[in-house]
Every structure is written in C-alpha cells, then in structure tokens.
Amino acid sequence: MIDEGIKFEHCDLDANIWTNPGESGLDASGLDKATNGLDDDGNGYADDLHGWDFFHNDNSIYDPADGDNHGTHVTGTIGAKANNTADCSVEVDGGGGTVGVNWEVTIISGKFLGPGGGYLSDAVRAVEYFTTLKTKRGLNVVALNNSWGGGGYSQALHDAIIRAAKANILFIAAAGNDASNSDGRPSYPSGYNTTQGTTTEARASYDSVIAVAAIDRYGSLASFSNYGRTTVDLGAPGVEIWSTTASAMYAQYSGTSMAAPHVTAAAALYAAVYQVRNGAYPDGPTIRTALLQNTAKTGALNRKTATGGRLDISCVLSLTTCTR
Ligand SMILES: [Ca+2]
Ligand SMILES: [Ca+2]
Ligand SMILES: [Ca+2]
Ligand SMILES: [Ca+2]
C-alpha cells in the first residue's frame, strides 16, 4: 500500500496487516525488536513492524492527526476480513461491516502521503522499500497499490518502478479523477510504462504498470474517471464503495482510488491460486496477462480502455482464458 497510513488495528483489517518477523520478538539484550530502535532485519529501517512512514520518517504507519482515512479505505477494499462479526462489532455504526476482495492477504504500509499530500521522493523510497523486501528478504511482494496521482513525470520514480518490475512486482495505479483522456495528457503514476527505459535504468521485459478506470454499479464509466484507449487498461468498481476508514468504522468513497485496489487484490488472489495449481508463484508478465486478457468486455469501456473491459475476477481465477 503506497498511500496514506493505515489504521492497522481496525477490527476488519488487523489480521491482514503485515507484521515484520525480523522486527518481532526479543533481541540479544532481551529488548523488544519492534521498539529497540535498531534495524534488526537490516533492511535500512529501524522497527518497521508493519511497514514504514516515509512522510514522517518513522515507524508509525497510522497517525490519527493525519486522518489516514483514504489509506485505510483502500486497504479495506483489498483485504477487509470476512465472516468476522464475532470479533468486529459492526452494529455500533449501524452500517454493517465489509469484506475485501481478498479475505486472506498480507498488506504492508508504505505511507508517503500526509494530510496535505506527499513528495515523489518519498514515493520512490516506498517503491524501493518493497523491492528490497522481495529481493533481499524473500518476501513474496506481488503488487503495489497506488491510489494517488499528481506530481508529473519523475525519472527517479520511473526507474524505481522499472526495478520493481524486474523483481516481478506489479504497479497498479488509479487512472486519475480528471475526467480526461490520459492518451492525450498523461496522468502519473498510472502513465508510467516499464517497457520504456530511461537514461539511468534499462527497460523491463514487460509493462508492470496497470492503470485502472472507475466504473459504477451499472458498469458505466464514472463521470470523474480518466480513460484512454492506450494508457488506461481496464475498469473496476469505483463509485460508492463501502470500506473501512479510520475516523468512522466504515464509509462510502468514490474515485479511481477505489477502483485500483480491486485489481491489486485480484493480482494477489491470482498469484495464490496459481501457486496452488502450479507449485510456484507466477511472474509479473503472467499476472498482468491474466488480469488483462480476462476482462469482461463492455460497451462503456470500448475505446476508453486498452482492454475494452472491466475486471472479471472469477474469470481470472479460472486460470483459463475466458471470452465474455
Ligand atoms: Ca528493519
Ligand atoms: Ca528493531
Ligand atoms: Ca508516523
Ligand atoms: Ca468483515
């Protein structure tokens, strides 16, 4: 999760938030590794128990003063728990609980947005953090969810996304909420393409960036959603999405920010199902192809997205190529 922070103790999220095993337990001095001020797992960050806050440069990934509602909402769409009314008393707000797309998943926080936005340099550090977790620590990082936009093109971020792609980490991004055609006016970070290299990083063998438009409950393109026949890949639900928040237990938000996590969760689900079937996790190109070749074609997205369709998770998880 490259976003705001996450209210990780939310009863509908807590079980699916990563706890760093290398920063857990007692150190040689008998101190708790999570609070000893030391980088016990040697990844460059001290006490990063649930991820890292690149905005404040600290290990608290939930800061009530910042709100962190957007990050908490996006997280719930990926992985709010299911069938857990016993441990999550949803009656208190009268709205009922929620489930994410992926009920058993591990979500790691790379907080880089504060209450008034963030810095691309911190987004770069967040991408590098996840790539390092995979390449140096052996964590199976499948996809980075990027429900944010703005800042224009950054070669440093492009390079970081290419390096993540080479580590088979997908970069799934909100298409943007400007109601504009991204083919004519690129929206970043959804507009990056890792098959294009830079002067400082050679291209990847595939494009790890998947740009997601928002559709409503009728399958129509949301009025605010960016689109683009070549630059936006597919649609996913992004209007009136019910999910977890920090200040209230639940709330309904709209935006391409809400669409992207449906696809990110699908990527993780696919990786899990593929692993059970084949005994090994799929590489990045395989996941991308599964997500994009199995969309449900709709008139609303025809010529508005590269696939002309919306996310079809049941088809993706069938491990066959569907035609719908
Ligand atoms: Ca550490
Ligand atoms: Ca520590
Ligand atoms: Ca913090
Ligand atoms: Ca739930």
Side-chain angles (χ1 to χ4, degrees):
M1 183 62 54
I2 299 179
D3 205 291
E4 295 178 344
I6 305 167
K7 187 177 184 181
F8 60 91
E9 70 265 39
H10 191 297
C11 58
D12 237 346
L13 299 177
D14 53 5
N16 286 338
I17 302 295
W18 181 62
T19 295
N20 184 351
E23 294 279 4
S24 304
L26 302 181
D27 68 15
S29 308
L31 299 172
D32 186 346
K33 288 182 185 176
T35 56
N36 64 359
L38 301 174
D39 178 19
D40 294 284
D41 59 346
N43 67 348
Y45 296 92
D47 302 348
D48 54 321
L49 188 62
H50 302 297
W52 191 255
D53 176 350
F54 298 91
F55 184 84
H56 295 293
N57 259 322
D58 62 35
N59 72 335
S60 61
I61 60 147
Y62 173 49
D63 298 286
D66 291 355
D68 285 338
N69 285 301
H70 181 275
T72 301
H73 195 279
V74 174
T75 298
T77 297
I78 291 178
K81 286 190 283 184
N83 304 319
N84 61 326
T85 48
D87 68 23
C88 201
S89 180
V90 296
E91 291 79 12
V92 290
D93 77 335
T98 193
V99 292
V101 171
N102 196 335
W103 300 354
E104 294 179 25
V105 65
T106 302
I107 300 169
I108 307 173
S109 176
K111 172 173 178 169
F112 90 104
L113 292 172
Y119 299 94
L120 289 179
S121 55
D122 289 337
V124 171
R125 294 199 295 148
V127 173
E128 301 283 12
Y129 175 77
F130 289 113
T131 304
T132 299
L133 284 181
K134 186 161 194 177
T135 59
K136 303 256 169 58
R137 302 285 320 287
L139 230 65
N140 180 33
V141 179
V142 174
L144 309 177
N145 189 84
N146 290 271
S147 288
W148 57 280
Y153 177 83
S154 156
Q155 185 168 330
L157 182 55
H158 193 178
D159 287 355
I161 297 169
I162 294 171
R163 286 191 287 272
K166 291 172 179 174
N168 291 301
I169 301 172
L170 294 177
F171 188 95
I172 296 167
N177 301 330
D178 305 310
S180 66
N181 186 340
S182 298
D183 289 0
R185 190 178 58 174
S187 175
Y188 294 104
S190 65
Y192 290 108
N193 182 333
T194 61
T195 65
Q196 294 160 0
T198 75
T199 55
T200 42
E201 189 68 36
R203 69 188 290 274
S205 64
Y206 71 107
D207 187 11
S208 68
V209 181
I210 296 178
V212 187
I215 57 174
D216 65 16
R217 68 185 66 205
Y218 305 106
S220 300
L221 185 69
S223 58
F224 54 78
S225 182
N226 282 20
Y227 53 92
R229 195 176 180 181
T230 61
T231 54
V232 177
D233 293 294
L234 78 171
V239 178
E240 299 173 332
I241 302 302
W242 182 252
S243 185
T244 48
T245 59
S247 53
M249 282 190 76
Y250 301 96
Q252 213 175 51
Y253 288 1
S254 296
T256 55
S257 282
M258 285 65 244
H262 285 84
V263 178
T264 303
L269 269 177
Y270 174 79
V273 171
Y274 182 102
Q275 192 274 338
V276 168
R277 176 76 64 88
N278 298 300
Y281 286 103
D283 60 15
T286 301
I287 302 172
R288 177 190 174 87
T289 299
L291 292 170
L292 298 187
Q293 278 195 349
N294 294 301
T295 60
K297 311 298 179 222
T298 70
L301 295 169
N302 185 33
R303 297 172 186 270
K304 299 280 192 180
T305 60
T307 62
R310 58 176 157 77
L311 177 66
D312 184 344
I313 296 179
S314 67
C315 184
V316 170
L317 297 184
S318 70
L319 303 189
T320 59
T321 299
C322 306
T323 305
R324 298 192 190 184

